[in-house]
Amino acid sequence: MKGYHAFVKKEWMESLRTYRALLLPAVFFLFGMMSPLAAKLMPDIFSGMNMEGVTITVPTPTAIDAYAQLFKNLTQMGIVVLLLVFSGMLSGEIAKGTLIPILTKGLSRNTVILAKYTVSLALWTVSLAVSCASAYGYTSYLFRNAQVEHLLFSVFCLWLFGALLLAFILLAGALVRGGFGGLILTAAFIGILLLANLFPAAEKWNPVSLAAKNMQIIAGTVAVGAMMPAVCLTLAAAVLCLVLSMAVFRKTIL
Amino acid sequence: MEQIMEYLPFLIPLLAVEMILAAAALVHVLKHKNYRFGNRAMWVAIVLLVEIIGPILYFTMGRSDD
Amino acid sequence: MNILTLEHVKKQFGGLKVLNDLTFSVPEHSVFGFIGKNGAGKTTAMKLILGLLNASGGTITVCGEEVCFGDTKTNRYVGYLPDVPEFYGYMTPREYLRLCGEVTGMSAGRIRERSAELLELVGLEDANRRIHGFSRGMRQRLGIAQALLNEPRLLICDEPTSALDPVGRREVLGILSAVRERTTVVFSTHILADVERVCDRIGVLDGGKLTLCGELAELKNSYRRDAVRMEFDMTEAQTAALCEKLRRLPFIHRSECDGRTVTAHLSSYREDGRELLAFLADQQAAVLKYEVMEPALENLFLEAVK
């Protein structure tokens, strides 16, 4: 327990001093702020384009459009940033050998995995919260009727998907040698999930729908209950990845 | 003018975040000699000229581990 | 009491056998020099002791507890200095030592005390900047400090001196022999001068086995090739003639002449030394220098890895 506390402190210091803890919330804050603005300015942008008599009529944007922009940014750029920032958290340390002095002091390998997961998940949670809070604030400022249904649930789905990715990054880091191995394997993992969506039967259970159906949840075209299979499976998969990464890491040669 | 006033709540935080990121990245670039790739002049230019994305690129890809 | 015991330890990587039936033990409060050519398997053996690698066979015990791969329980008795220690570059030495101390469950006060003590011992007390700017030698020193932090009963150092300048090497060797009061030291090296300076026991690793192991003084004694080197105040021709006569003596099985120096190999100096002296007196040889030769560690080593 003492070791866990000490290693969490180390991970947090690392996040601060490598600017992870600054970068991630800052970028996510910008996503949250720019999305409603982009939605609001959309008609102006189109009307500014003078296209030889062709007039494009854009319907007056609403709060729904603002959140559409937000989830588009978060599920694409946001996930990419999350991967870039955290992909090396275990594989980098294994490649460099910085864990050897610490592990030969008697810290258990499980503790390393758990502490890394704790801090990365906390940072992801804070960043996502900052993003959604700023999106909510600016949407309320720009649009009347800013209230949308199931916003929190939709964000929770995305959060859970991120939590799965973080657990998978740890598993990938324990499995593959080399600094970028974890990143490539995690990208492949997302690719496989996306491919699985080609089979309609899989879609209901596919974790990737947690980062794909966010708009439908808000718009009310997908019921909260319909997401439950994917939520449960993702939760189970995240726990499984974490347990597996501990089992694999115990036998990883450093 | 009126339009600028309307978007002031966006411009101020946007500029603030941009400046914080650029400043943090610039300090880091100047304080370190080694990068995963590229040289100092390149990273100074990227950090200062490519808004927001520049510092992100630097911290995620360019910063050396030490 | 033996603090470290290896019994029939084997390790192979794929088809490559690195360690092949390695057996030895290290008693408490000794400085054990682990000698071998580059690539002999010294680092592999150390990583096995630390549970960082999985042995293909055999057992290793540290302080009476068996070492298991991936399970770092026995490491609470051990301090380890890797051959190229890697630290978190964004920390200062004090912060790093605090992390190490907290990981082993030391109290905050004790950590502060030990850190100050050790940083002074290794000469880093004024280095309050982050580790990423440290030179190789400074990292090595910090490595020693972190290895000694929790007062380990067994200190394992992988080539602690190979990256250091002569001054740093002297200091590190000094530290290693200074801590022998409290801990047992095992260190690997291929620099024989270092071994002679601090070790009291050695093991020579060759072909995956210890080909020579024991107390340094004893080994030197048992490997004594009794030989006497004599220098004469005579012409070279006279010396050569004397050498010829020496060769004909029954207890001398070989003698070599080089200028005015003759080296004579005896079956046993203890038994025949007096006769040799009597013979020299009889011949009225003008002896300038008379020296019973010590076996050099280098010869011992070369013999062991033959």
Side-chain angles (χ1 to χ4, degrees):
Chain A
M1 201 56 214
K2 264 187 177 163
Y4 172 77
H5 185 230
F7 210 72
V8 163
K9 256 172 55 184
K10 170 259 162 191
E11 282 293 317
W12 176 241
M13 183 191 265
E14 180 168 317
S15 297
L16 281 178
R17 296 205 176 159
T18 58
Y19 298 87
R20 247 184 236 160
L22 167 79
L23 198 69
L24 212 60
V27 171
F28 276 74
F29 169 77
L30 289 180
F31 284 148
M33 190 185 76
M34 300 302 283
S35 303
L37 186 65
K40 180 79 178 176
L41 295 179
M42 204 61 90
D44 295 349
I45 295 168
F46 278 107
S47 65
M49 288 189 273
N50 200 348
M51 284 192 279
E52 310 275 315
V54 181
T55 45
I56 303 167
T57 45
V58 181
T60 319
T62 64
I64 294 283
D65 296 305
Y67 287 113
Q69 284 290 327
L70 175 71
F71 282 110
K72 203 185 102 211
N73 282 333
L74 289 182
T75 54
Q76 293 169 9
M77 283 299 289
I79 295 292
V80 169
V81 171
L82 185 73
L83 283 187
L84 281 178
V85 167
F86 286 115
S87 62
M89 64 176 158
L90 182 63
S91 52
E93 283 218 43
I94 294 175
K96 267 198 82 186
T98 43
L99 281 175
I100 288 178
I102 305 292
L103 289 178
T104 53
K105 287 256 172 312
L107 185 71
S108 90
R109 297 189 182 204
N110 292 354
T111 307
V112 172
I113 297 278
L114 286 177
K116 282 185 179 292
Y117 193 62
T118 307
V119 173
S120 59
L121 192 65
L123 214 51
W124 166 236
T125 309
V126 167
S127 304
L128 198 60
V130 164
S131 187
C132 294
S134 69
Y136 183 78
Y138 282 108
T139 306
S140 312
Y141 172 79
L142 287 175
F143 299 93
R144 254 164 285 162
N145 294 327
Q147 296 303 319
V148 289
E149 296 273 315
H150 304 305
L151 177 60
L152 272 180
F153 179 73
S154 183
V155 173
F156 165 77
C157 287
L158 181 58
W159 174 83
L160 192 59
F161 184 68
L164 171 64
L165 285 188
L166 290 174
F168 191 85
I169 285 171
L170 289 171
L171 176 60
L175 278 172
V176 195
R177 311 234 79 187
F180 288 109
L183 181 62
I184 294 163
L185 197 59
T186 311
F189 174 64
I190 298 175
I192 289 168
L193 290 184
L194 286 170
L195 276 179
N197 254 3
L198 292 178
F199 304 97
E203 208 185 345
K204 194 171 111 186
W205 293 89
N206 197 334
V208 91
S209 18
L210 297 184
K213 297 247 174 89
N214 310 75
M215 264 328 290
Q216 286 99 311
I217 296 169
I218 287 179
T221 49
V222 168
V224 170
M227 295 303 292
M228 279 309 155
V231 167
C232 294
L233 185 70
T234 307
L235 204 60
V239 172
L240 183 70
C241 279
L242 212 54
V243 171
L244 271 180
S245 66
M246 285 194 267
V248 172
F249 187 48
R250 276 173 78 86
K251 299 293 166 204
T252 301
I253 287 160
L254 295 174
Chain B
M1 196 59 216
E2 206 176 291
Q3 258 195 321
I4 288 180
M5 287 305 289
E6 193 185 339
Y7 293 118
L8 220 49
F10 293 92
L11 290 175
I12 290 169
L14 182 67
L15 279 175
V17 171
E18 255 177 39
M19 302 269 274
I20 291 170
L21 285 181
L26 185 66
V27 168
H28 200 278
V29 171
L30 293 180
K31 264 167 73 175
H32 290 76
K33 273 186 284 204
N34 300 314
Y35 314 104
R36 244 178 251 164
F37 56 90
N39 55 28
R40 180 172 287 179
M42 178 190 111
W43 282 115
V44 168
I46 289 177
V47 160
L48 291 183
L49 300 180
V50 187
E51 283 165 11
I52 300 170
I53 305 293
I56 295 173
L57 277 179
Y58 175 69
F59 281 126
T60 54
M61 318 275 294
R63 182 177 58 81
S64 79
D65 286 328
D66 263 351
Chain C
M1 188 202 137
N2 286 335
I3 201 146
L4 170 68
T5 313
L6 280 83
E7 271 165 23
H8 310 293
V9 172
K10 296 179 187 67
K11 175 72 194 171
Q12 54 187 77
F13 294 105
L16 181 69
K17 276 191 182 162
V18 178
L19 295 178
N20 180 10
D21 202 19
L22 182 63
T23 302
F24 70 93
S25 54
V26 180
E28 231 169 336
H29 299 299
S30 53
V31 179
F32 184 86
F34 202 33
I35 319 171
K37 291 184 274 194
N38 290 323
K42 290 169 292 185
T43 302
T44 306
M46 292 189 157
K47 289 196 163 175
L48 287 170
I49 296 168
L50 291 156
L52 292 173
L53 284 176
N54 197 2
S56 315
T59 50
I60 303 172
T61 45
V62 173
C63 298
E65 282 178 48
E66 197 170 320
V67 176
C68 330
F69 167 58
D71 190 3
T72 39
K73 248 181 246 151
T74 46
N75 283 348
R76 68 183 187 277
Y77 302 118
V78 183
Y80 175 51
L81 172 65
D83 48 353
V84 185
E86 289 288 350
F87 307 108
Y88 300 113
Y90 50 83
M91 288 186 179
T92 65
R94 247 167 257 272
E95 285 164 346
Y96 189 77
L97 290 182
R98 192 168 68 215
L99 168 67
C100 292
E102 283 171 352
V103 157
T104 52
M106 290 164 71
S107 74
R110 188 87 190 98
I111 294 172
R112 253 198 311 279
E113 211 175 289
R114 282 293 285 166
S115 304
E117 228 173 272
L118 285 167
L119 287 175
E120 201 183 315
L121 179 72
V122 299
L124 285 177
E125 67 270 30
D126 298 321
N128 281 324
R129 48 209 171 82
R130 295 193 182 167
I131 300 169
H132 63 71
F134 277 24
S135 68
R136 184 75 207 274
M138 290 169 85
R139 280 165 203 249
Q140 204 78 27
R141 285 153 194 265
L142 180 57
I144 292 174
Q146 63 83 22
L148 287 171
L149 185 71
N150 57 338
E151 296 180 315
R153 291 176 63 189
L154 174 63
L155 176 67
I156 297 179
C157 304
D158 197 350
E159 309 228 343
T161 54
S162 55
L164 300 175
D165 59 44
V167 179
R169 217 168 99 193
R170 230 186 122 91
E171 285 173 8
V172 167
L173 290 176
I175 293 168
L176 290 188
S177 52
V179 298
R180 101 167 72 187
E181 309 281 302
R182 278 165 289 167
T183 80
T184 308
V185 182
V186 172
F187 81 95
S188 72
T189 184
H190 54 258
I191 304 170
L192 295 169
D194 293 354
V195 175
E196 286 211 281
R197 204 179 286 174
V198 294
C199 290
D200 43 31
R201 302 180 77 86
I202 61 164
V204 177
L205 186 63
D206 187 57
K209 288 185 196 172
L210 278 197
T211 48
L212 186 65
C213 183
E215 261 181 70
L216 187 55
E218 232 169 69
L219 285 173
K220 275 190 169 178
N221 238 334
S222 67
Y223 269 73
R224 186 187 299 273
R225 284 269 173 259
D226 288 347
V228 181
R229 183 189 283 152
M230 294 157 283
E231 202 182 319
F232 298 100
D233 188 16
M234 304 189 295
T235 64
E236 291 193 11
Q238 282 172 318
T239 311
L242 185 68
C243 178
E244 203 48 44
K245 280 183 194 158
L246 279 169
R247 197 169 293 157
R248 270 183 251 131
L249 291 173
F251 54 84
I252 288 178
H253 54 81
R254 201 151 54 94
S255 72
E256 290 140 20
C257 181
D258 177 29
R260 289 173 193 176
T261 309
V262 173
T263 311
H265 296 262
L266 291 74
S267 335
S268 159
Y269 184 75
R270 203 172 298 162
E271 283 166 28
D272 305 319
R274 207 173 307 160
E275 282 189 55
L276 176 64
L277 282 171
F279 175 78
L280 289 175
D282 189 47
Q283 295 288 316
Q284 297 189 327
V287 181
L288 271 184
K289 222 181 193 176
Y290 182 91
E291 183 187 11
V292 182
M293 283 166 74
E294 276 281 304
L297 185 56
E298 197 179 313
N299 297 337
L300 258 165
F301 175 71
L302 289 175
E303 195 128 323
V305 301
K306 222 179 260 173

